[in-house]
Amino acid sequence: MEESQEAAVPVVPMKEMLDRALADRYGVAAFNILNDLTIEGVLAAAAEERAPVILQTSVKTVRQYGRDQLFGIFSALARDVAVPVTLHLDHCPERSVISDCLAGGWNSVLFDAHELDVAENLRQTQEVVAEARRRGAHVEGEIEGIQGVEDGIGSDEASARQSLEVAVDFIKRTEVDCFAPAIGNAHGQYKATPTLDHQRVSDLVEATGVPMALHGGTGLSDEQFTDLISRGCAKVNISTALKEAFMKSALEFLKGAEEKGTWDPPSLFRHQRAAVVEMARSHIRLFGSSGRAW
Ligand code: 13P
């Protein structure tokens, strides 16, 4: 059989992707995908930008499809994409779902045990890291809640902050591959411009050498993204912007369809896909990961 000109790159480990990004100080965009259209649109954007990309799933999306069906859709669509891709489970407090996704082919998981006290969180995160390692997978850790409810997980209340020493000790003793600090960021659209504790990112990276995950990406300014990425936020999470691109483009299209009285689903899908691709490309460019595929 003839080889294609551009060989497909296999799905890569999250750690490899983030360690490269940390070393060269760019951000890998991590989009919370929802279905086949958003998976395909984000992958197309990454391929057009020649950028590595993380696709992440909420627990809600895993439950909506079922693990195997969701993984099957991801695998079928990612197989022939010629840029590095990795599949990550976003905020998951449930050990059974963590184990299920690791067994089902996810490359990394965020074990979100911030509701436990730090000692118990640390003990269980060590177990999750050991379990992930057995499967060649990686782990993001978290000890403070990121404000805002996303897909049914989280709280609108700001959670307690831990000291820098506690966070550094957690990262070193658990050997997590990535860490999600609370720095004044929040999931969903910001109601006012957030004041971010960017120094905490610098301090954590300097003390541990571990890449940070920037949660609550939607609504941050270009300057905030650029600054935090330069300090070591190698993974940048975007969820709300994808949901809005997906749904607002549908709303706009459907209003027009109603006016004209024409109901053609493939035209709707094309319109939504274009909005998702544009949203993803603009974030990838802003985070400096265009042209970073290997
Ligand atoms: P946004 O919904 O604010 O983009 O946050 C995404 C996120 O951090 C997912 O964990």
Side-chain angles (χ1 to χ4, degrees), residues 30 32 56 90-91 110 140 146 150 185-190 214-219 235-243:
N32 289 61
Q56 52 190 16
D90 200 18
H91 298 276
L110 165 50
E140 180 179 333
I146 312 286
E150 192 144 80
N185 47 341
H187 294 132
Q189 287 288 4
Y190 291 93
L214 174 57
H215 283 252
T218 302
K235 174 173 181 276
V236 187
N237 289 4
I238 300 292
S239 176
T240 302
L242 184 147
K243 287 178 178 164

Side-chain angles (χ1 to χ4, degrees), residues 2 4 14 81 157 163 170 234 251 285:
E2 219 174 279
S4 71
M14 184 183 75
V81 173
E157 302 297 316
S163 69
F170 176 89
L251 182 63
R285 281 197 289 266

Side-chain angles (χ1 to χ4, degrees), residues 2 11 14 26 47 57 133 140 204 236 282:
E2 219 174 279
V11 172
M14 184 183 75
Y26 59 89
T57 62
R133 295 288 183 272
E140 180 179 333
L204 285 167
V236 187
S282 65

Side-chain angles (χ1 to χ4, degrees), residues 69-195:
Q69 195 178 355
L70 183 56
F71 187 75
I73 296 168
F74 166 77
S75 306
L77 292 170
R79 194 166 32 230
D80 295 324
V81 173
V83 293
V85 178
T86 202
L87 181 65
H88 175 76
L89 176 67
D90 200 18
H91 298 276
C92 181
E94 285 177 61
R95 292 286 298 275
S96 58
V97 179
I98 293 268
S99 297
D100 209 32
C101 286
L102 287 173
W106 268 247
N107 302 103
S108 62
V109 292
L110 165 50
F111 178 48
D112 179 354
H114 78 269
E115 287 194 353
L116 302 177
D117 64 54
V118 179
E120 179 59 12
N121 182 345
L122 190 147
R123 191 189 69 73
Q124 290 204 32
T125 301
Q126 285 172 330
E127 290 179 357
V128 170
V129 169
E131 183 181 350
R133 295 288 183 272
R134 286 196 291 278
R135 298 193 179 276
H138 296 105
V139 178
E140 180 179 333
E142 174 170 347
I143 57 174
E144 302 147 335
I146 312 286
Q147 210 173 341
V149 181
E150 192 144 80
D151 280 0
I153 291 185
S155 160
D156 284 327
E157 302 297 316
S159 93
R161 293 279 185 93
Q162 304 295 338
S163 69
L164 182 67
E165 291 69 33
V166 166
V168 169
D169 180 64
F170 176 89
I171 295 169
K172 287 188 172 166
R173 286 172 57 202
T174 56
E175 300 183 7
V176 288
D177 308 287
C178 173
F179 183 73
I183 54 168
N185 47 341
H187 294 132
Q189 287 288 4
Y190 291 93
K191 291 176 187 75
T193 307
T195 308

